[in-house]
Amino acid sequence: MHLTSEERQMLAGEHGPATRKAMEILTALGTIYAAERMVPVTSVQIAGVSFDNLGEAGLEFLSEMAAGGGQAKVLTTLNPAGMDIENWGAMGIDADFARNQERVIAAYAEMGILTTCSCTPYLFGNLPHFGEHIAWAESSAVCYANSVLGARTNREGGPSALAAALTGRTPCYGLHLDENRRPGLTVQMAASLTDTRDFGGLGVAVGRAIESRQLKVIPYLRGVPAATVDQLKSLCASLATYGGLSMFHMEGITPESAQFAPPDETLVITQRDLDEAIRSLDVFPSSEEVDFVSLGCPHLSINEIQRVAKLLAGKHVRKTFWITTSRPVKRIADQMGYTAVIESAGAVFAVDTCCVVAPIKGRFKALATDSAKACYYASAKNNFQTRFLPFDEVIEEALR
Ligand code: F3S
């Protein structure tokens, strides 16, 4: 693997022990994937923030990197943590967990990393443009960056994303290269999509179809006349979860899709396919037993929070209802009075975290959400049953 003189200096330890360790991680990764060189990155997003996932060993690694003088060289933000950093008591988080989570955040802060904990960094300023090389880790954000923004990133692990932050480099392989961004399967939509839940359902249908064919292809989606940012983030989370995809092309949306002709091999998604995908996640029939409602997987935009405030105004929820979003978006909600409306209806902001990474196993029986990804992890990680509903109906479920 060819390294520049600066990269060789980093590897030799001339920029300190943490940078050397980071460069060792990146050269090992580059060797595994036969990268010929490193590529400079302009933005990093790090996963592996919740103490629930990191554990003591992960925290120790972060502390060593911070003590070894590691400093972020490019704009770097974090994925959700295991709790609301400012308001963890209201979420029912225990004090030991909170202390450890705070140590994780402190280690990242010491390395000059922005401690905004969110899977939607593109909604508050970590927003790369077309063609930029970046190193992001959260699967839904990676899919969004490649497919909607047209930036270039592989799906990084926690250590490789941190290493990219501390060096400003990533090995040049996979989705950093033109030849690996070509679509291999046309997906023709023949169903109507109206809501974030439908776009999540589309991700389930396409993701499962691709997985069942044991294909490793980038799909080229046609027949979606329009899609909002909120719908696209829902689709990205779902495709990454159910199909392991880090990229798709969507005609009229993906900046580079016009460079490619739609591939001959075609998968048609009918209304029946979409309905079946949605039904497969909506396994819990009775509304009495839904005891947990959550919106914000991926983290809610201000547009979505405005909608929640409108539908909750003057009402009172009867179930635990989490609104999960990033700190910067919550600040706009505060400023606009949406937070006051939502909190007086009895819903809880769970900022910096989400219903998947927070340690809530055993606390609830059944989750209602509009997120296909949240349904997957609610069942697989926390053993909850799931109701998979359109956005507005999730709010109605909380009021029931
Ligand atoms: Fe984000 Fe948590 Fe969902 S990290 S995509 S809200 S699982």
PDB file of all heavy atoms in Angstrom, residues 45 79-81 118-120 138-141 233 237-238 241 295-300 324-325 353-358 371 373-374 377, ligand 1:
ATOM      1  N   GLN A  45     -18.043  10.282  11.062  1.00  0.00           N
ATOM      2  CA  GLN A  45     -19.141  10.051  12.009  1.00  0.00           C
ATOM      3  C   GLN A  45     -18.846   8.718  12.685  1.00  0.00           C
ATOM      4  O   GLN A  45     -18.644   7.705  12.020  1.00  0.00           O
ATOM      5  CB  GLN A  45     -20.490  10.013  11.267  1.00  0.00           C
ATOM      6  CG  GLN A  45     -21.696  10.086  12.192  1.00  0.00           C
ATOM      7  CD  GLN A  45     -22.363   8.737  12.428  1.00  0.00           C
ATOM      8  OE1 GLN A  45     -21.940   7.720  11.894  1.00  0.00           O
ATOM      9  NE2 GLN A  45     -23.400   8.732  13.255  1.00  0.00           N
ATOM     10  N   ASN A  79     -22.381   9.001  16.949  1.00  0.00           N
ATOM     11  CA  ASN A  79     -23.671   8.316  16.860  1.00  0.00           C
ATOM     12  C   ASN A  79     -24.385   8.411  18.221  1.00  0.00           C
ATOM     13  O   ASN A  79     -23.754   8.791  19.209  1.00  0.00           O
ATOM     14  CB  ASN A  79     -23.397   6.843  16.488  1.00  0.00           C
ATOM     15  CG  ASN A  79     -24.451   6.289  15.563  1.00  0.00           C
ATOM     16  OD1 ASN A  79     -25.022   7.020  14.755  1.00  0.00           O
ATOM     17  ND2 ASN A  79     -24.701   4.998  15.668  1.00  0.00           N
ATOM     18  N   PRO A  80     -25.667   8.058  18.290  1.00  0.00           N
ATOM     19  CA  PRO A  80     -26.362   8.128  19.575  1.00  0.00           C
ATOM     20  C   PRO A  80     -25.670   7.355  20.704  1.00  0.00           C
ATOM     21  O   PRO A  80     -25.085   6.300  20.491  1.00  0.00           O
ATOM     22  CB  PRO A  80     -27.724   7.522  19.254  1.00  0.00           C
ATOM     23  CG  PRO A  80     -27.946   7.918  17.833  1.00  0.00           C
ATOM     24  CD  PRO A  80     -26.595   7.777  17.189  1.00  0.00           C
ATOM     25  N   ALA A  81     -25.783   7.944  21.891  1.00  0.00           N
ATOM     26  CA  ALA A  81     -25.270   7.329  23.119  1.00  0.00           C
ATOM     27  C   ALA A  81     -26.394   6.523  23.770  1.00  0.00           C
ATOM     28  O   ALA A  81     -27.518   6.488  23.270  1.00  0.00           O
ATOM     29  CB  ALA A  81     -24.790   8.438  24.046  1.00  0.00           C
ATOM     30  N   SER A 118     -25.768  11.669  17.310  1.00  0.00           N
ATOM     31  CA  SER A 118     -26.922  11.519  16.417  1.00  0.00           C
ATOM     32  C   SER A 118     -26.573  10.711  15.180  1.00  0.00           C
ATOM     33  O   SER A 118     -25.458  10.781  14.665  1.00  0.00           O
ATOM     34  CB  SER A 118     -27.429  12.897  15.986  1.00  0.00           C
ATOM     35  OG  SER A 118     -28.507  12.736  15.081  1.00  0.00           O
ATOM     36  N   CYS A 119     -27.578   9.983  14.700  1.00  0.00           N
ATOM     37  CA  CYS A 119     -27.424   9.218  13.455  1.00  0.00           C
ATOM     38  C   CYS A 119     -27.833  10.041  12.244  1.00  0.00           C
ATOM     39  O   CYS A 119     -27.815   9.540  11.120  1.00  0.00           O
ATOM     40  CB  CYS A 119     -28.259   7.945  13.541  1.00  0.00           C
ATOM     41  SG  CYS A 119     -29.953   8.267  14.055  1.00  0.00           S
ATOM     42  N   THR A 120     -28.240  11.302  12.444  1.00  0.00           N
ATOM     43  CA  THR A 120     -28.591  12.159  11.305  1.00  0.00           C
ATOM     44  C   THR A 120     -27.700  13.412  11.312  1.00  0.00           C
ATOM     45  O   THR A 120     -28.212  14.541  11.389  1.00  0.00           O
ATOM     46  CB  THR A 120     -30.084  12.559  11.340  1.00  0.00           C
ATOM     47  OG1 THR A 120     -30.363  13.180  12.605  1.00  0.00           O
ATOM     48  CG2 THR A 120     -30.989  11.363  11.150  1.00  0.00           C
ATOM     49  N   GLU A 138     -22.394   4.916  11.110  1.00  0.00           N
ATOM     50  CA  GLU A 138     -23.783   4.501  11.324  1.00  0.00           C
ATOM     51  C   GLU A 138     -24.399   4.056   9.989  1.00  0.00           C
ATOM     52  O   GLU A 138     -24.392   4.798   9.003  1.00  0.00           O
ATOM     53  CB  GLU A 138     -24.545   5.667  11.961  1.00  0.00           C
ATOM     54  CG  GLU A 138     -26.031   5.733  11.716  1.00  0.00           C
ATOM     55  CD  GLU A 138     -26.800   4.496  12.126  1.00  0.00           C
ATOM     56  OE1 GLU A 138     -26.402   3.829  13.105  1.00  0.00           O
ATOM     57  OE2 GLU A 138     -27.790   4.189  11.442  1.00  0.00           O
ATOM     58  N   SER A 139     -24.966   2.854   9.975  1.00  0.00           N
ATOM     59  CA  SER A 139     -25.372   2.249   8.696  1.00  0.00           C
ATOM     60  C   SER A 139     -26.404   3.090   7.937  1.00  0.00           C
ATOM     61  O   SER A 139     -26.319   3.228   6.715  1.00  0.00           O
ATOM     62  CB  SER A 139     -25.893   0.837   8.920  1.00  0.00           C
ATOM     63  OG  SER A 139     -27.056   0.857   9.721  1.00  0.00           O
ATOM     64  N   SER A 140     -27.381   3.665   8.634  1.00  0.00           N
ATOM     65  CA  SER A 140     -28.405   4.450   7.920  1.00  0.00           C
ATOM     66  C   SER A 140     -27.798   5.738   7.361  1.00  0.00           C
ATOM     67  O   SER A 140     -28.143   6.170   6.250  1.00  0.00           O
ATOM     68  CB  SER A 140     -29.575   4.788   8.850  1.00  0.00           C
ATOM     69  OG  SER A 140     -29.161   5.664   9.888  1.00  0.00           O
ATOM     70  N   ALA A 141     -26.877   6.323   8.127  1.00  0.00           N
ATOM     71  CA  ALA A 141     -26.238   7.567   7.681  1.00  0.00           C
ATOM     72  C   ALA A 141     -25.284   7.303   6.515  1.00  0.00           C
ATOM     73  O   ALA A 141     -25.169   8.122   5.597  1.00  0.00           O
ATOM     74  CB  ALA A 141     -25.497   8.219   8.847  1.00  0.00           C
ATOM     75  N   LYS A 233     -34.497   9.172   4.711  1.00  0.00           N
ATOM     76  CA  LYS A 233     -33.735   8.658   5.867  1.00  0.00           C
ATOM     77  C   LYS A 233     -34.388   7.374   6.391  1.00  0.00           C
ATOM     78  O   LYS A 233     -33.695   6.462   6.838  1.00  0.00           O
ATOM     79  CB  LYS A 233     -33.499   9.722   6.939  1.00  0.00           C
ATOM     80  CG  LYS A 233     -34.648  10.165   7.796  1.00  0.00           C
ATOM     81  CD  LYS A 233     -34.158  11.213   8.819  1.00  0.00           C
ATOM     82  CE  LYS A 233     -35.295  11.982   9.465  1.00  0.00           C
ATOM     83  NZ  LYS A 233     -36.127  11.215  10.376  1.00  0.00           N
ATOM     84  N   ALA A 237     -32.355   3.717   6.442  1.00  0.00           N
ATOM     85  CA  ALA A 237     -32.220   2.897   7.655  1.00  0.00           C
ATOM     86  C   ALA A 237     -32.726   1.484   7.396  1.00  0.00           C
ATOM     87  O   ALA A 237     -32.121   0.492   7.826  1.00  0.00           O
ATOM     88  CB  ALA A 237     -33.002   3.540   8.798  1.00  0.00           C
ATOM     89  N   SER A 238     -33.810   1.389   6.667  1.00  0.00           N
ATOM     90  CA  SER A 238     -34.419   0.091   6.427  1.00  0.00           C
ATOM     91  C   SER A 238     -33.593  -0.765   5.454  1.00  0.00           C
ATOM     92  O   SER A 238     -33.365  -1.954   5.689  1.00  0.00           O
ATOM     93  CB  SER A 238     -35.829   0.340   5.887  1.00  0.00           C
ATOM     94  OG  SER A 238     -36.473  -0.852   5.663  1.00  0.00           O
ATOM     95  N   THR A 241     -30.622  -2.102   7.202  1.00  0.00           N
ATOM     96  CA  THR A 241     -30.942  -3.134   8.192  1.00  0.00           C
ATOM     97  C   THR A 241     -31.351  -4.452   7.536  1.00  0.00           C
ATOM     98  O   THR A 241     -30.905  -5.524   7.939  1.00  0.00           O
ATOM     99  CB  THR A 241     -32.097  -2.641   9.104  1.00  0.00           C
ATOM    100  OG1 THR A 241     -31.696  -1.414   9.704  1.00  0.00           O
ATOM    101  CG2 THR A 241     -32.437  -3.649  10.184  1.00  0.00           C
ATOM    102  N   LEU A 295     -40.855   7.658  18.275  1.00  0.00           N
ATOM    103  CA  LEU A 295     -40.602   8.219  16.945  1.00  0.00           C
ATOM    104  C   LEU A 295     -39.170   8.760  16.952  1.00  0.00           C
ATOM    105  O   LEU A 295     -38.733   9.347  17.933  1.00  0.00           O
ATOM    106  CB  LEU A 295     -41.570   9.359  16.631  1.00  0.00           C
ATOM    107  CG  LEU A 295     -43.003   8.967  16.278  1.00  0.00           C
ATOM    108  CD1 LEU A 295     -43.899  10.203  16.219  1.00  0.00           C
ATOM    109  CD2 LEU A 295     -43.071   8.211  14.946  1.00  0.00           C
ATOM    110  N   GLY A 296     -38.468   8.554  15.831  1.00  0.00           N
ATOM    111  CA  GLY A 296     -37.122   9.129  15.754  1.00  0.00           C
ATOM    112  C   GLY A 296     -36.044   8.103  15.492  1.00  0.00           C
ATOM    113  O   GLY A 296     -34.941   8.204  16.015  1.00  0.00           O
ATOM    114  N   CYS A 297     -36.340   7.133  14.635  1.00  0.00           N
ATOM    115  CA  CYS A 297     -35.316   6.183  14.190  1.00  0.00           C
ATOM    116  C   CYS A 297     -35.374   6.144  12.665  1.00  0.00           C
ATOM    117  O   CYS A 297     -36.276   5.518  12.133  1.00  0.00           O
ATOM    118  CB  CYS A 297     -35.557   4.796  14.766  1.00  0.00           C
ATOM    119  SG  CYS A 297     -34.431   3.530  14.111  1.00  0.00           S
ATOM    120  N   PRO A 298     -34.436   6.823  11.973  1.00  0.00           N
ATOM    121  CA  PRO A 298     -33.384   7.711  12.455  1.00  0.00           C
ATOM    122  C   PRO A 298     -33.942   8.963  13.156  1.00  0.00           C
ATOM    123  O   PRO A 298     -35.132   9.278  13.035  1.00  0.00           O
ATOM    124  CB  PRO A 298     -32.641   8.109  11.165  1.00  0.00           C
ATOM    125  CG  PRO A 298     -32.954   7.044  10.174  1.00  0.00           C
ATOM    126  CD  PRO A 298     -34.345   6.590  10.515  1.00  0.00           C
ATOM    127  N   HIS A 299     -33.043   9.666  13.829  1.00  0.00           N
ATOM    128  CA  HIS A 299     -33.421  10.844  14.612  1.00  0.00           C
ATOM    129  C   HIS A 299     -34.329  11.797  13.838  1.00  0.00           C
ATOM    130  O   HIS A 299     -34.111  12.070  12.660  1.00  0.00           O
ATOM    131  CB  HIS A 299     -32.152  11.600  15.051  1.00  0.00           C
ATOM    132  CG  HIS A 299     -31.581  11.082  16.328  1.00  0.00           C
ATOM    133  ND1 HIS A 299     -30.378  11.514  16.836  1.00  0.00           N
ATOM    134  CD2 HIS A 299     -32.070  10.190  17.236  1.00  0.00           C
ATOM    135  CE1 HIS A 299     -30.148  10.900  17.994  1.00  0.00           C
ATOM    136  NE2 HIS A 299     -31.145  10.087  18.244  1.00  0.00           N
ATOM    137  N   LEU A 300     -35.330  12.332  14.571  1.00  0.00           N
ATOM    138  CA  LEU A 300     -36.321  13.198  13.923  1.00  0.00           C
ATOM    139  C   LEU A 300     -35.711  14.504  13.433  1.00  0.00           C
ATOM    140  O   LEU A 300     -34.834  15.086  14.070  1.00  0.00           O
ATOM    141  CB  LEU A 300     -37.433  13.541  14.911  1.00  0.00           C
ATOM    142  CG  LEU A 300     -38.382  12.422  15.333  1.00  0.00           C
ATOM    143  CD1 LEU A 300     -39.503  12.996  16.195  1.00  0.00           C
ATOM    144  CD2 LEU A 300     -38.968  11.671  14.155  1.00  0.00           C
ATOM    145  N   THR A 324     -37.092  10.869  19.861  1.00  0.00           N
ATOM    146  CA  THR A 324     -35.622  10.833  19.844  1.00  0.00           C
ATOM    147  C   THR A 324     -35.087  11.681  18.692  1.00  0.00           C
ATOM    148  O   THR A 324     -35.548  11.607  17.557  1.00  0.00           O
ATOM    149  CB  THR A 324     -35.076   9.385  19.782  1.00  0.00           C
ATOM    150  OG1 THR A 324     -35.453   8.768  18.572  1.00  0.00           O
ATOM    151  CG2 THR A 324     -35.597   8.552  20.928  1.00  0.00           C
ATOM    152  N   THR A 325     -34.124  12.521  19.071  1.00  0.00           N
ATOM    153  CA  THR A 325     -33.567  13.463  18.100  1.00  0.00           C
ATOM    154  C   THR A 325     -32.178  13.902  18.571  1.00  0.00           C
ATOM    155  O   THR A 325     -31.701  13.480  19.618  1.00  0.00           O
ATOM    156  CB  THR A 325     -34.516  14.668  17.910  1.00  0.00           C
ATOM    157  OG1 THR A 325     -34.078  15.436  16.796  1.00  0.00           O
ATOM    158  CG2 THR A 325     -34.542  15.577  19.142  1.00  0.00           C
ATOM    159  N   THR A 353     -29.910   9.915  22.107  1.00  0.00           N
ATOM    160  CA  THR A 353     -30.003   8.461  22.212  1.00  0.00           C
ATOM    161  C   THR A 353     -31.158   7.954  21.351  1.00  0.00           C
ATOM    162  O   THR A 353     -31.722   8.715  20.556  1.00  0.00           O
ATOM    163  CB  THR A 353     -30.189   8.060  23.692  1.00  0.00           C
ATOM    164  OG1 THR A 353     -30.110   6.639  23.797  1.00  0.00           O
ATOM    165  CG2 THR A 353     -31.502   8.546  24.267  1.00  0.00           C
ATOM    166  N   CYS A 354     -31.504   6.703  21.468  1.00  0.00           N
ATOM    167  CA  CYS A 354     -32.665   6.189  20.732  1.00  0.00           C
ATOM    168  C   CYS A 354     -33.168   4.916  21.402  1.00  0.00           C
ATOM    169  O   CYS A 354     -32.549   4.399  22.332  1.00  0.00           O
ATOM    170  CB  CYS A 354     -32.315   5.942  19.275  1.00  0.00           C
ATOM    171  SG  CYS A 354     -31.322   4.473  18.975  1.00  0.00           S
ATOM    172  N   CYS A 355     -34.287   4.412  20.890  1.00  0.00           N
ATOM    173  CA  CYS A 355     -34.932   3.261  21.528  1.00  0.00           C
ATOM    174  C   CYS A 355     -34.158   1.967  21.265  1.00  0.00           C
ATOM    175  O   CYS A 355     -34.499   0.931  21.814  1.00  0.00           O
ATOM    176  CB  CYS A 355     -36.378   3.132  21.058  1.00  0.00           C
ATOM    177  SG  CYS A 355     -36.548   2.723  19.311  1.00  0.00           S
ATOM    178  N   VAL A 356     -33.130   2.025  20.423  1.00  0.00           N
ATOM    179  CA  VAL A 356     -32.337   0.820  20.157  1.00  0.00           C
ATOM    180  C   VAL A 356     -31.069   0.792  21.006  1.00  0.00           C
ATOM    181  O   VAL A 356     -30.711  -0.243  21.568  1.00  0.00           O
ATOM    182  CB  VAL A 356     -31.992   0.722  18.648  1.00  0.00           C
ATOM    183  CG1 VAL A 356     -30.994  -0.394  18.383  1.00  0.00           C
ATOM    184  CG2 VAL A 356     -33.267   0.505  17.835  1.00  0.00           C
ATOM    185  N   VAL A 357     -30.372   1.914  21.110  1.00  0.00           N
ATOM    186  CA  VAL A 357     -29.090   1.891  21.831  1.00  0.00           C
ATOM    187  C   VAL A 357     -29.244   2.123  23.339  1.00  0.00           C
ATOM    188  O   VAL A 357     -28.320   1.856  24.099  1.00  0.00           O
ATOM    189  CB  VAL A 357     -28.050   2.889  21.245  1.00  0.00           C
ATOM    190  CG1 VAL A 357     -27.681   2.528  19.827  1.00  0.00           C
ATOM    191  CG2 VAL A 357     -28.527   4.318  21.337  1.00  0.00           C
ATOM    192  N   ALA A 358     -30.392   2.620  23.784  1.00  0.00           N
ATOM    193  CA  ALA A 358     -30.591   2.798  25.233  1.00  0.00           C
ATOM    194  C   ALA A 358     -30.802   1.424  25.881  1.00  0.00           C
ATOM    195  O   ALA A 358     -31.368   0.531  25.273  1.00  0.00           O
ATOM    196  CB  ALA A 358     -31.800   3.695  25.482  1.00  0.00           C
ATOM    197  N   SER A 371     -40.791   3.125  12.261  1.00  0.00           N
ATOM    198  CA  SER A 371     -39.453   2.788  11.760  1.00  0.00           C
ATOM    199  C   SER A 371     -39.255   1.277  11.609  1.00  0.00           C
ATOM    200  O   SER A 371     -39.332   0.528  12.598  1.00  0.00           O
ATOM    201  CB  SER A 371     -38.406   3.339  12.739  1.00  0.00           C
ATOM    202  OG  SER A 371     -37.154   2.738  12.488  1.00  0.00           O
ATOM    203  N   LYS A 373     -36.440  -0.118  10.939  1.00  0.00           N
ATOM    204  CA  LYS A 373     -35.204  -0.471  11.638  1.00  0.00           C
ATOM    205  C   LYS A 373     -35.465  -0.657  13.134  1.00  0.00           C
ATOM    206  O   LYS A 373     -34.981  -1.603  13.748  1.00  0.00           O
ATOM    207  CB  LYS A 373     -34.136   0.616  11.425  1.00  0.00           C
ATOM    208  CG  LYS A 373     -32.854   0.335  12.195  1.00  0.00           C
ATOM    209  CD  LYS A 373     -31.735   1.307  11.880  1.00  0.00           C
ATOM    210  CE  LYS A 373     -30.492   0.980  12.711  1.00  0.00           C
ATOM    211  NZ  LYS A 373     -29.343   1.820  12.372  1.00  0.00           N
ATOM    212  N   ALA A 374     -36.251   0.245  13.722  1.00  0.00           N
ATOM    213  CA  ALA A 374     -36.559   0.120  15.158  1.00  0.00           C
ATOM    214  C   ALA A 374     -37.317  -1.178  15.422  1.00  0.00           C
ATOM    215  O   ALA A 374     -37.086  -1.833  16.445  1.00  0.00           O
ATOM    216  CB  ALA A 374     -37.361   1.321  15.635  1.00  0.00           C
ATOM    217  N   TYR A 377     -34.736  -4.126  15.628  1.00  0.00           N
ATOM    218  CA  TYR A 377     -33.947  -4.217  16.855  1.00  0.00           C
ATOM    219  C   TYR A 377     -34.813  -4.363  18.105  1.00  0.00           C
ATOM    220  O   TYR A 377     -34.382  -4.964  19.085  1.00  0.00           O
ATOM    221  CB  TYR A 377     -32.991  -3.020  16.969  1.00  0.00           C
ATOM    222  CG  TYR A 377     -31.834  -3.157  16.005  1.00  0.00           C
ATOM    223  CD1 TYR A 377     -31.799  -2.454  14.808  1.00  0.00           C
ATOM    224  CD2 TYR A 377     -30.797  -4.049  16.265  1.00  0.00           C
ATOM    225  CE1 TYR A 377     -30.757  -2.602  13.900  1.00  0.00           C
ATOM    226  CE2 TYR A 377     -29.756  -4.208  15.367  1.00  0.00           C
ATOM    227  CZ  TYR A 377     -29.741  -3.489  14.195  1.00  0.00           C
ATOM    228  OH  TYR A 377     -28.706  -3.670  13.307  1.00  0.00           O
TER     229      TYR A 377
HETATM  230 FE1  F3S B   1     -30.480   6.041  14.649  1.00  0.00          FE
HETATM  231 FE2  F3S B   1     -30.833   4.520  16.739  1.00  0.00          FE
HETATM  232 FE3  F3S B   1     -32.304   4.192  14.614  1.00  0.00          FE
HETATM  233  S1  F3S B   1     -28.909   5.131  15.889  1.00  0.00           S
HETATM  234  S2  F3S B   1     -31.055   4.810  12.892  1.00  0.00           S
HETATM  235  S3  F3S B   1     -32.256   6.006  15.922  1.00  0.00           S
HETATM  236  S4  F3S B   1     -31.342   2.605  15.769  1.00  0.00           S
END
